[in-house]
Amino acid sequence: MTLISDDESSRTEHLDARATSSLERVLNPSTIAIVGLSDKSPVAPFIRPTLDSASRVFFVHPTAPSVLGVPTHRSVSDIGEPIDAVLSVMSAERTVALAEECAELDCGGLVIYAAGFAEVGQEGESLQRRLVAAADRGGMALVGPNSLGYISVPRSLNLTASADYHPPAGGISIVSHSGAMIGGVAVTAGRRTGIGISRLISAGNEATTDIADYVDFLASDPETAAVGLIVEGIRRPEAFFRAARRCIAAGKPIVALKLARSSRTQQMAASHTGALAGNAWAYDVAFRRAGIQLAHDLEELVDRLSIVGQLDPGKWNTVERVGVVAGTGGFASLAYDLAEAEGLSLPPLDDLAEWVRTTIPGITVPNPLDTTGFGATFWTDIVERYVGSPELDAVVFVNMWGETDDSPVYRRLIDDVAQAARRFGKPVAIAAGAGPVGSFAREVIGDDGSVALGYGLRGTLRGLRTMGTFVRDRATHRPLAEPVAPIAPPSVPTIDTGDGRQFLPFSQAMELLDRFGIPTAPYCTVDSDGHATPDFAGPYAVKLADVPHRTELGAVALNIDTADLEDTVNRMRALAHRHQLPDVVAIQPMTAARGELLVGIEGRSELGPMVVLGIGGVLVEILERVGGRPAPLTRTDAEELIEEFRDLKLMHGYRGSAPWNLERLTELLVGFGNLAAACHGWIESLDINPLLVTDDGLVAVDALCIVRAGEKEQQ
């Protein structure tokens, strides 16, 4: 997918303005026209299964009398009836002409394979503009261009240039910006027993219909139980997160794999928020806040969706306490380590300790349980006690019942598990030690959603963690922040940073903080014609006010008394003149501090402005730790952000020391989020450097506010 800037203001509201019936028609078509396909086309075998669907399929070809045994029409117009989905298997230029023809007919929309649009430069952009204009004229949805189309497994719809991988039918739907990834998901799911796919959608260039539209569609799709996203970028964050909330409210978990991650996400620069918060970091933060869970490769994406895709939602719970019953000591030991890595708790089950000790020779640890060679002898009792234990929210049974281990013994063991799962109504999963459980297990457990089949031990635990996190998040009321009205930048000249960027003068940056309730240290400024006459007591901090990197220049002097103030100001001016820098000098009282915080705004994220919080000073580099939230923030957002730092103990107190003023920090973060949202149109980044923690509260002694290029000129 190629992210293209759109100047058409109407584009930003397609989720609301474009009738959802257009996308509904394309993805659930009663009639389909396939244009440009021939029997010799390499994608013909991939499309052929569509002939077995309930949809009526028409082929359009200028010369071939038939395609795949079906008589052809010379044009879409010749079909003579409404067409829900038009699949173009033609070049970019011919596809645009086809879209312009369809705009005059009753068509739901087009599915477009062709590349050669906005992703290739100016000529392609021109074609894409014509394509969008035709779609707008005809009220049509577009899947693509530069897309591999889509597959609906339950409906046998293969409007795709991706191979027919024959994934099993089920409730997991995937939307991917990368077309090849839908094939990867199909292959990954096909290797697992029990996991089924509903829809695979390749979004492509998103000329009109984007990932927000697809998620909104899936929220209401009765065939979708859970959603996986493979994301390069999101064009309309507000519409996307609105659709995601609908999906989650409908009981459908979302797991996202973010592509195009950068190693810079983990780099910690000393002074600038922008270096701390890359786009991938912003996606992680925003997704978690929205209740969207994260995966880092295709296998993990499918693992995290696997359990919710199989179990009856009526059995889902928070999965705070998990029991593991393993056939060997190795898998029992591994289960504990993997559960800890996945954030799952395995309680000790003290109530079962005596029974385990007296029943299974040599075993004293009830959870995870090593059944040893005696497991089969006492299996029914083991299953009953563990699945029925009030101390467990979910149970995993792991053994060596792999793909070829179909035997009467294994069938009996699995059937005991399935019967107990139905009786007690809690999440139960069966996993092989590695890889898939044999397909025979599906025959044994049935399809009533009582038992899930996992893929290896870690994949199974991941799936349970996803379920538990979803149930907890969905039950947590998360109020949305009130919208914040935008404000214009100050009408003062900005200053060049030396690397082509522009920043606000010190005084205007501090006034901006004051405007949003962020406490600032007293200051006065002295220009080339003035004298140093502060109305507050010393000792003083003296610095060049309008210089972005003072420390490197030696442009800061601390603990200056009244007698030396004038000389220090003159020395700062002389330094400014030598380096051809603005000679405005700022004077502030020295402030005693218990600690420092980094608070910043990253305004360059694709998802909108982000508020960033970290321990300040050199610790931000040492700890390599920042947190953040999309702006604006609610009090809940701010409190949760602060709570992320509890393990560091600095903010929350340690060894008898009093915690920092966290109530005031909460209020400050909310105000800072309002500032970020109000100024998003023109702030590229803003750093409070530093935010001092004092005995009385918090105080900002400086702020560097970088203005987005071109914004001042537009005022």
Side-chain angles (χ1 to χ4, degrees):
M1 185 199 74
T2 303
L3 283 174
I4 303 297
S5 298
D6 284 293
D7 294 329
E8 299 91 340
S9 59
S10 63
R11 175 64 190 86
T12 64
E13 294 300 330
H14 270 290
L15 187 65
D16 299 320
R18 181 176 297 281
T20 56
S21 60
S22 296
L23 187 56
E24 171 75 28
R25 289 179 67 185
V26 172
L27 296 180
N28 291 326
S30 297
T31 54
I32 300 169
I34 300 174
V35 184
L37 186 73
S38 72
D39 289 337
K40 296 180 180 179
S41 171
V43 300
F46 310 154
I47 296 171
R48 182 183 289 276
T50 305
L51 297 179
D52 298 325
S53 71
S55 303
R56 289 188 297 137
V57 181
F58 303 92
F59 289 94
V60 175
H61 198 282
T63 57
S66 67
V67 174
L68 300 180
V70 179
T72 62
H73 297 264
R74 292 295 171 263
S75 69
V76 176
S77 302
D78 288 347
I79 296 173
E81 61 178 278
I83 300 297
D84 294 322
V86 179
L87 172 62
S88 174
V89 192
M90 300 190 296
S91 68
E93 293 84 354
R94 291 183 176 181
T95 296
V96 171
L98 172 64
E100 291 170 341
E101 176 188 4
C102 291
E104 308 305 319
L105 306 172
D106 183 358
C107 294
L110 283 80
V111 180
I112 303 171
Y113 297 165
F117 287 91
E119 78 280 0
V120 300
Q122 186 172 353
E123 184 176 348
E125 288 177 12
S126 177
L127 286 173
Q128 187 155 313
R129 281 193 291 272
R130 286 177 56 196
L131 185 66
V132 171
D136 286 343
R137 256 193 335 273
M140 300 183 296
L142 299 179
V143 178
N146 193 23
S147 161
L148 291 187
Y150 76 81
I151 299 170
S152 172
V153 179
R155 293 172 180 256
S156 192
L157 295 172
N158 276 39
L159 302 187
T160 180
S162 185
D164 183 11
Y165 295 104
H166 304 289
I172 296 174
S173 290
I174 305 290
V175 183
S176 175
H177 283 136
S178 167
M181 289 286 186
I182 65 171
V185 169
V187 170
T188 302
R191 291 173 178 165
R192 288 153 164 76
T193 308
I195 298 175
I197 297 296
S198 178
R199 300 179 187 271
L200 299 170
I201 302 171
S202 168
N205 283 11
E206 300 185 324
T208 63
T209 310
D210 65 12
I211 196 168
D213 298 304
Y214 295 120
V215 172
D216 191 63
F217 166 82
L218 294 173
S220 303
D221 179 28
E223 296 169 354
T224 296
V227 176
L229 305 176
I230 303 172
V231 178
E232 290 180 5
I234 293 176
R235 299 170 182 273
R236 299 182 298 138
E238 288 187 16
F240 170 81
F241 287 112
R242 185 164 62 245
R245 288 193 296 272
R246 282 197 63 222
C247 217
I248 291 168
K252 302 179 182 186
I254 304 175
V255 179
L257 167 59
K258 175 68 176 76
L259 302 179
R261 304 184 72 90
S262 168
S263 60
R264 289 192 62 213
T265 309
Q266 300 302 320
Q267 292 175 356
M268 295 295 167
S271 58
H272 293 299
T273 304
L276 296 173
N279 258 321
W281 175 89
Y283 274 86
D284 290 352
V285 167
F287 282 172
R288 288 192 185 100
R289 183 206 203 189
I292 298 171
Q293 299 186 56
L294 306 176
H296 295 88
D297 56 42
L298 288 181
E299 286 76 14
E300 184 179 358
L301 178 70
V302 176
D303 285 343
R304 293 206 175 279
L305 293 166
S306 63
I307 303 299
V308 294
Q310 296 180 70
L311 286 182
D312 178 354
K315 300 179 184 295
W316 297 2
N317 63 43
T318 57
V319 193
E320 295 178 9
R321 303 163 301 172
V322 178
V324 176
V325 176
T328 70
F331 284 125
S333 177
L334 181 62
Y336 192 88
D337 294 337
L338 293 177
E340 188 175 66
E342 290 299 327
L344 293 170
S345 172
L346 271 62
L349 300 183
D350 293 333
D351 290 349
L352 289 177
E354 180 62 20
W355 178 84
V356 167
R357 186 184 64 79
T358 58
T359 303
I360 306 176
I363 300 301
T364 59
V365 177
N367 191 28
L369 176 66
D370 170 14
T371 62
T372 71
F374 294 91
T377 305
F378 306 104
W379 183 255
T380 302
D381 200 6
I382 291 171
V383 170
E384 187 78 11
R385 288 177 182 272
Y386 276 76
V387 178
S389 171
E391 294 186 61
L392 296 176
D393 300 314
V395 185
V396 177
F397 293 88
V398 56
N399 211 318
M400 290 305 296
W401 31 47
E403 292 184 88
T404 61
D405 294 324
D406 186 359
S407 71
V409 172
Y410 278 152
R411 283 179 175 258
R412 179 181 68 80
L413 299 181
I414 291 173
D415 186 54
D416 282 349
V417 173
Q419 290 188 43
R422 292 187 184 98
R423 192 158 54 253
F424 292 105
K426 67 177 59 171
V428 174
I430 292 174
V437 180
S439 58
F440 71 90
R442 171 55 63 195
E443 301 171 15
V444 176
I445 66 175
D447 57 3
D448 63 352
S450 294
V451 180
L453 300 178
Y455 186 82
L457 187 49
R458 181 156 205 165
T460 306
L461 293 171
R462 279 174 169 171
L464 285 172
R465 172 65 188 274
T466 298
M467 173 195 294
T469 301
F470 174 76
V471 172
R472 287 193 301 274
D473 286 352
R474 191 173 178 226
T476 302
H477 176 63
R478 301 193 61 84
L480 297 177
E482 292 294 326
V484 179
I487 64 172
S491 56
V492 296
T494 55
I495 303 164
D496 192 272
T497 61
D499 58 6
R501 297 184 299 164
Q502 300 290 310
F503 68 98
L504 286 184
F506 169 82
S507 295
Q508 279 65 44
M510 298 294 275
E511 289 172 9
L512 187 62
L513 298 184
D514 286 334
R515 179 171 178 176
F516 285 88
I518 298 162
T520 58
Y523 69 90
C524 69
T525 57
V526 185
D527 59 24
S528 56
D529 297 325
H531 296 282
T533 55
D535 58 2
F536 42 82
Y540 303 104
V542 181
K543 59 192 175 187
L544 287 178
D546 298 331
V547 173
H549 306 295
R550 303 184 187 94
T551 304
E552 293 88 335
L553 286 173
V556 181
L558 304 178
N559 290 306
I560 304 302
D561 59 31
T562 303
D564 295 328
L565 185 58
E566 197 73 36
D567 287 342
T568 304
V569 169
N570 291 332
R571 178 162 55 83
M572 289 293 167
R573 286 178 180 160
L575 179 66
H577 295 156
R578 284 199 303 275
H579 291 277
Q580 297 182 317
L581 296 170
D583 64 358
V584 177
V585 176
I587 303 170
Q588 294 174 292
M590 293 294 297
T591 303
R594 297 175 53 201
E596 296 183 6
L597 286 165
L598 165 76
V599 181
I601 294 169
E602 169 50 43
R604 291 166 291 189
S605 161
E606 293 168 0
L607 299 180
M610 307 290 296
V611 172
V612 182
L613 174 68
I615 304 297
V618 297
L619 288 179
V620 72
E621 298 177 74
I622 295 171
L623 297 173
E624 296 190 346
R625 176 88 164 268
V626 293
R629 291 293 185 277
L633 279 65
T634 63
R635 281 190 61 87
T636 300
D637 293 327
E639 289 166 353
E640 290 179 350
L641 177 54
I642 294 167
E643 187 65 18
E644 290 180 9
F645 293 86
R646 179 175 290 277
D647 63 310
L648 297 180
K649 300 180 181 179
L650 289 171
M651 292 187 196
H652 296 79
Y654 66 101
R655 292 189 177 181
S657 66
W660 296 354
N661 193 328
L662 302 185
E663 173 64 25
R664 186 66 191 96
L665 180 57
T666 298
E667 296 170 357
L668 183 145
L669 289 172
V670 171
F672 206 58
N674 290 337
L675 187 162
C679 304
H680 178 49
W682 52 275
I683 286 184
E684 182 174 293
S685 67
L686 192 158
D687 298 306
I688 297 181
N689 183 28
L691 178 68
L692 297 182
V693 182
T694 71
D695 290 333
D696 298 324
L698 305 165
V699 61
V701 298
D702 208 342
L704 177 62
C705 183
I706 305 294
V707 177
R708 189 170 291 122
E711 294 300 325
K712 292 296 295 182
E713 290 79 354
Q714 295 171 15
Q715 298 303 313

